[in-house]
Amino acid sequence: MSPSESFLQIMRFVRFVKRCLGVDVYDKDYHINIFTAMCVLACFMYGGFTLNTAILERHSIFAFQSLVMSGLLVQGVNKLFVLVYNARDLYELNQSVLKIYLDYENHSDPRFAKNLQENCDRLRRALIVVFISYYIAIGGMIILPLTVNMFTGDNHLIMQFYVPGIDHTTQSGFWLLQVIHVFVLNVGGAGMFAGDLVILVHLIQAYIFRDILRLKIDIFNTFVEEPGKQSDSDIQKGLVDMMQFHQLYLSFIARCNDLFYSIVSVQVISAAGCFILTMFVLLTSVWPGGWAYAVGLASNLYIYCVLGTLVENCNDDLIYEVYNISFYNLNARQQRQVLFMLCKTQSTDMIQLLGVMPLAVSTALQVSYVLN
């Protein structure tokens, strides 16, 4: 299987998840459909149920628990809006990535195809890790309350909201509500995962820019250092090719930042805030599923920050590779071009949180510290 086929295979899974939720933005002719409308309706219904529960239980800690879980609603609505609003831009961004796979998988140097395939494997592993992290949290939120119910006889709801018309104080009403909670939790988890897929698929591609530019520089250095007289025009052609590809990388990162800064900012800030409030609730009341919810919030907080750190590392690698260009085998004009390229690598616009802080693990720790 070629690297482009591997990438398209991954995208078929991504599109399937998104299609189920009505947000298949990788469809060239995407438009809002019945599934999108159902997602919007579900968000409004969950928000209404949560608010109604908070009002009914306003004198108990249960109201606070229900409001803490509404942080996921904020994230979900934001992701849904960003995906639908930027559907065309996301489609074009994905097509630009696919074009790189198609352009370089048949390169005469087999290292290009190897690196592209390695990136597909890296993306596949990242999707599996994120999927598992979500469903560990979801599984814990379902299993822990049911286990406590079984061994203590106390009734603990899976999610912290009531549904009007269902009497949770009766045995039949309680278990009907539990079934609804399981359904809502799984649909909500799928929605959050679908939103994360967009960012995962694109930010992981920073590696292919790093690997391809590294190979281009290696081929260029081998060419200019060969014994014999190389023409300035051939050297200039290779140098311009590297500069254009690096410019493509800068443009890709800038587009990712423009498209994803809202999702990233809302998720990191809301996850950090909800995590602190969840820990307060866990220390002051009994909430079996809250521990699993806290695990989910922690993964929510750090997943994007880890991706941001990986992109930063890729950029640092690019700086190192540009330093490796055979500088002293070039003429003065070409050396100035390399220096200009080096300046651009050192001033790359990285993914931003709230437009002011770099998206990195260190930023997540700072946010957690401030909110604490």
Side-chain angles (χ1 to χ4, degrees), residues 108-128:
S108 57
D109 190 331
R111 292 179 297 174
F112 283 87
K114 179 183 177 183
N115 284 334
L116 290 172
Q117 187 61 55
E118 287 175 351
N119 192 65
C120 287
D121 296 338
R122 187 182 294 116
L123 175 58
R124 190 177 286 108
R125 288 194 298 271
L127 296 181
I128 291 172

mmCIF file of all heavy atoms in Angstrom, residues 108-128:
data_model
loop_
_atom_site.group_PDB
_atom_site.id
_atom_site.type_symbol
_atom_site.label_atom_id
_atom_site.label_comp_id
_atom_site.label_asym_id
_atom_site.label_seq_id
_atom_site.Cartn_x
_atom_site.Cartn_y
_atom_site.Cartn_z
ATOM 1 N N SER A 108 12.281 9.479 -6.842
ATOM 2 C CA SER A 108 13.326 8.500 -7.164
ATOM 3 C C SER A 108 14.083 8.027 -5.924
ATOM 4 O O SER A 108 14.609 6.910 -5.900
ATOM 5 C CB SER A 108 14.310 9.102 -8.176
ATOM 6 O OG SER A 108 14.874 10.303 -7.664
ATOM 7 N N ASP A 109 14.139 8.866 -4.898
ATOM 8 C CA ASP A 109 14.778 8.478 -3.641
ATOM 9 C C ASP A 109 13.738 7.761 -2.771
ATOM 10 O O ASP A 109 12.741 8.369 -2.366
ATOM 11 C CB ASP A 109 15.308 9.716 -2.918
ATOM 12 C CG ASP A 109 16.203 9.368 -1.731
ATOM 13 O OD1 ASP A 109 15.992 8.293 -1.126
ATOM 14 O OD2 ASP A 109 17.102 10.166 -1.398
ATOM 15 N N PRO A 110 13.910 6.481 -2.460
ATOM 16 C CA PRO A 110 12.901 5.734 -1.701
ATOM 17 C C PRO A 110 12.700 6.228 -0.277
ATOM 18 O O PRO A 110 11.716 5.868 0.367
ATOM 19 C CB PRO A 110 13.454 4.298 -1.712
ATOM 20 C CG PRO A 110 14.922 4.444 -1.927
ATOM 21 C CD PRO A 110 15.073 5.651 -2.815
ATOM 22 N N ARG A 111 13.608 7.074 0.203
ATOM 23 C CA ARG A 111 13.471 7.590 1.566
ATOM 24 C C ARG A 111 12.236 8.481 1.704
ATOM 25 O O ARG A 111 11.652 8.579 2.788
ATOM 26 C CB ARG A 111 14.721 8.364 1.979
ATOM 27 C CG ARG A 111 15.965 7.493 2.152
ATOM 28 C CD ARG A 111 17.169 8.335 2.527
ATOM 29 N NE ARG A 111 17.521 9.282 1.479
ATOM 30 C CZ ARG A 111 18.464 10.220 1.604
ATOM 31 N NH1 ARG A 111 19.139 10.328 2.744
ATOM 32 N NH2 ARG A 111 18.741 11.040 0.601
ATOM 33 N N PHE A 112 11.839 9.133 0.634
ATOM 34 C CA PHE A 112 10.648 9.979 0.690
ATOM 35 C C PHE A 112 9.404 9.147 0.994
ATOM 36 O O PHE A 112 8.620 9.476 1.889
ATOM 37 C CB PHE A 112 10.469 10.729 -0.635
ATOM 38 C CG PHE A 112 11.394 11.891 -0.810
ATOM 39 C CD1 PHE A 112 12.656 11.717 -1.354
ATOM 40 C CD2 PHE A 112 11.015 13.161 -0.413
ATOM 41 C CE1 PHE A 112 13.515 12.798 -1.520
ATOM 42 C CE2 PHE A 112 11.862 14.249 -0.573
ATOM 43 C CZ PHE A 112 13.117 14.057 -1.125
ATOM 44 N N ALA A 113 9.221 8.064 0.242
ATOM 45 C CA ALA A 113 8.057 7.202 0.463
ATOM 46 C C ALA A 113 8.099 6.582 1.858
ATOM 47 O O ALA A 113 7.064 6.447 2.524
ATOM 48 C CB ALA A 113 8.014 6.107 -0.602
ATOM 49 N N LYS A 114 9.293 6.215 2.313
ATOM 50 C CA LYS A 114 9.435 5.618 3.646
ATOM 51 C C LYS A 114 9.004 6.598 4.732
ATOM 52 O O LYS A 114 8.260 6.236 5.657
ATOM 53 C CB LYS A 114 10.885 5.190 3.872
ATOM 54 C CG LYS A 114 11.127 4.583 5.238
ATOM 55 C CD LYS A 114 12.601 4.251 5.440
ATOM 56 C CE LYS A 114 12.846 3.711 6.850
ATOM 57 N NZ LYS A 114 14.292 3.441 7.090
ATOM 58 N N ASN A 115 9.437 7.846 4.620
ATOM 59 C CA ASN A 115 9.071 8.853 5.630
ATOM 60 C C ASN A 115 7.583 9.176 5.599
ATOM 61 O O ASN A 115 6.966 9.401 6.646
ATOM 62 C CB ASN A 115 9.890 10.136 5.420
ATOM 63 C CG ASN A 115 11.326 9.992 5.908
ATOM 64 O OD1 ASN A 115 11.611 9.193 6.795
ATOM 65 N ND2 ASN A 115 12.227 10.746 5.321
ATOM 66 N N LEU A 116 7.004 9.192 4.410
ATOM 67 C CA LEU A 116 5.566 9.439 4.311
ATOM 68 C C LEU A 116 4.780 8.309 4.963
ATOM 69 O O LEU A 116 3.787 8.547 5.660
ATOM 70 C CB LEU A 116 5.163 9.583 2.843
ATOM 71 C CG LEU A 116 5.644 10.850 2.125
ATOM 72 C CD1 LEU A 116 5.341 10.758 0.632
ATOM 73 C CD2 LEU A 116 4.995 12.092 2.717
ATOM 74 N N GLN A 117 5.225 7.062 4.746
ATOM 75 C CA GLN A 117 4.547 5.924 5.359
ATOM 76 C C GLN A 117 4.702 5.953 6.874
ATOM 77 O O GLN A 117 3.760 5.630 7.614
ATOM 78 C CB GLN A 117 5.119 4.619 4.799
ATOM 79 C CG GLN A 117 4.360 3.370 5.244
ATOM 80 C CD GLN A 117 2.916 3.382 4.799
ATOM 81 O OE1 GLN A 117 2.616 3.534 3.615
ATOM 82 N NE2 GLN A 117 2.003 3.232 5.743
ATOM 83 N N GLU A 118 5.881 6.347 7.349
ATOM 84 C CA GLU A 118 6.103 6.458 8.796
ATOM 85 C C GLU A 118 5.178 7.502 9.405
ATOM 86 O O GLU A 118 4.691 7.335 10.532
ATOM 87 C CB GLU A 118 7.566 6.816 9.074
ATOM 88 C CG GLU A 118 8.539 5.675 8.837
ATOM 89 C CD GLU A 118 9.987 6.096 9.008
ATOM 90 O OE1 GLU A 118 10.235 7.322 9.140
ATOM 91 O OE2 GLU A 118 10.871 5.216 8.991
ATOM 92 N N ASN A 119 4.914 8.567 8.666
ATOM 93 C CA ASN A 119 4.013 9.587 9.191
ATOM 94 C C ASN A 119 2.581 9.074 9.267
ATOM 95 O O ASN A 119 1.850 9.394 10.205
ATOM 96 C CB ASN A 119 4.065 10.847 8.328
ATOM 97 C CG ASN A 119 3.380 12.018 8.990
ATOM 98 O OD1 ASN A 119 3.816 12.503 10.022
ATOM 99 N ND2 ASN A 119 2.269 12.459 8.420
ATOM 100 N N CYS A 120 2.177 8.257 8.291
ATOM 101 C CA CYS A 120 0.845 7.637 8.357
ATOM 102 C C CYS A 120 0.739 6.739 9.580
ATOM 103 O O CYS A 120 -0.285 6.737 10.280
ATOM 104 C CB CYS A 120 0.574 6.835 7.086
ATOM 105 S SG CYS A 120 0.260 7.835 5.621
ATOM 106 N N ASP A 121 1.783 5.975 9.846
ATOM 107 C CA ASP A 121 1.787 5.110 11.031
ATOM 108 C C ASP A 121 1.730 5.944 12.305
ATOM 109 O O ASP A 121 1.057 5.577 13.274
ATOM 110 C CB ASP A 121 3.041 4.230 11.035
ATOM 111 C CG ASP A 121 3.075 3.257 9.860
ATOM 112 O OD1 ASP A 121 1.995 2.964 9.311
ATOM 113 O OD2 ASP A 121 4.183 2.815 9.491
ATOM 114 N N ARG A 122 2.437 7.057 12.308
ATOM 115 C CA ARG A 122 2.434 7.956 13.469
ATOM 116 C C ARG A 122 1.043 8.534 13.694
ATOM 117 O O ARG A 122 0.560 8.599 14.834
ATOM 118 C CB ARG A 122 3.443 9.081 13.234
ATOM 119 C CG ARG A 122 3.675 10.004 14.411
ATOM 120 C CD ARG A 122 4.648 11.105 14.043
ATOM 121 N NE ARG A 122 5.980 10.592 13.771
ATOM 122 C CZ ARG A 122 6.592 10.660 12.589
ATOM 123 N NH1 ARG A 122 5.973 11.210 11.543
ATOM 124 N NH2 ARG A 122 7.809 10.187 12.436
ATOM 125 N N LEU A 123 0.381 8.937 12.625
ATOM 126 C CA LEU A 123 -0.973 9.475 12.724
ATOM 127 C C LEU A 123 -1.945 8.413 13.211
ATOM 128 O O LEU A 123 -2.801 8.681 14.070
ATOM 129 C CB LEU A 123 -1.416 10.002 11.355
ATOM 130 C CG LEU A 123 -2.851 10.504 11.235
ATOM 131 C CD1 LEU A 123 -3.133 11.619 12.228
ATOM 132 C CD2 LEU A 123 -3.130 10.978 9.807
ATOM 133 N N ARG A 124 -1.799 7.192 12.697
ATOM 134 C CA ARG A 124 -2.681 6.103 13.119
ATOM 135 C C ARG A 124 -2.536 5.833 14.623
ATOM 136 O O ARG A 124 -3.534 5.648 15.335
ATOM 137 C CB ARG A 124 -2.365 4.851 12.298
ATOM 138 C CG ARG A 124 -3.382 3.731 12.473
ATOM 139 C CD ARG A 124 -3.056 2.549 11.584
ATOM 140 N NE ARG A 124 -3.361 2.822 10.173
ATOM 141 C CZ ARG A 124 -2.439 3.027 9.238
ATOM 142 N NH1 ARG A 124 -1.153 3.004 9.549
ATOM 143 N NH2 ARG A 124 -2.787 3.263 7.991
ATOM 144 N N ARG A 125 -1.303 5.831 15.111
ATOM 145 C CA ARG A 125 -1.066 5.598 16.544
ATOM 146 C C ARG A 125 -1.659 6.723 17.384
ATOM 147 O O ARG A 125 -2.235 6.480 18.452
ATOM 148 C CB ARG A 125 0.433 5.468 16.815
ATOM 149 C CG ARG A 125 1.055 4.169 16.300
ATOM 150 C CD ARG A 125 2.442 3.974 16.894
ATOM 151 N NE ARG A 125 3.361 5.037 16.524
ATOM 152 C CZ ARG A 125 4.124 5.021 15.437
ATOM 153 N NH1 ARG A 125 4.080 3.980 14.613
ATOM 154 N NH2 ARG A 125 4.950 6.006 15.177
ATOM 155 N N ALA A 126 -1.529 7.954 16.900
ATOM 156 C CA ALA A 126 -2.074 9.095 17.648
ATOM 157 C C ALA A 126 -3.592 8.999 17.757
ATOM 158 O O ALA A 126 -4.162 9.260 18.828
ATOM 159 C CB ALA A 126 -1.673 10.405 16.953
ATOM 160 N N LEU A 127 -4.254 8.606 16.673
ATOM 161 C CA LEU A 127 -5.712 8.471 16.699
ATOM 162 C C LEU A 127 -6.137 7.378 17.670
ATOM 163 O O LEU A 127 -7.125 7.538 18.401
ATOM 164 C CB LEU A 127 -6.239 8.150 15.296
ATOM 165 C CG LEU A 127 -6.036 9.226 14.216
ATOM 166 C CD1 LEU A 127 -6.635 8.764 12.901
ATOM 167 C CD2 LEU A 127 -6.640 10.548 14.638
ATOM 168 N N ILE A 128 -5.385 6.285 17.699
ATOM 169 C CA ILE A 128 -5.718 5.188 18.611
ATOM 170 C C ILE A 128 -5.557 5.626 20.058
ATOM 171 O O ILE A 128 -6.412 5.335 20.909
ATOM 172 C CB ILE A 128 -4.832 3.959 18.313
ATOM 173 C CG1 ILE A 128 -5.208 3.357 16.955
ATOM 174 C CG2 ILE A 128 -4.972 2.902 19.410
ATOM 175 C CD1 ILE A 128 -4.266 2.257 16.487
#
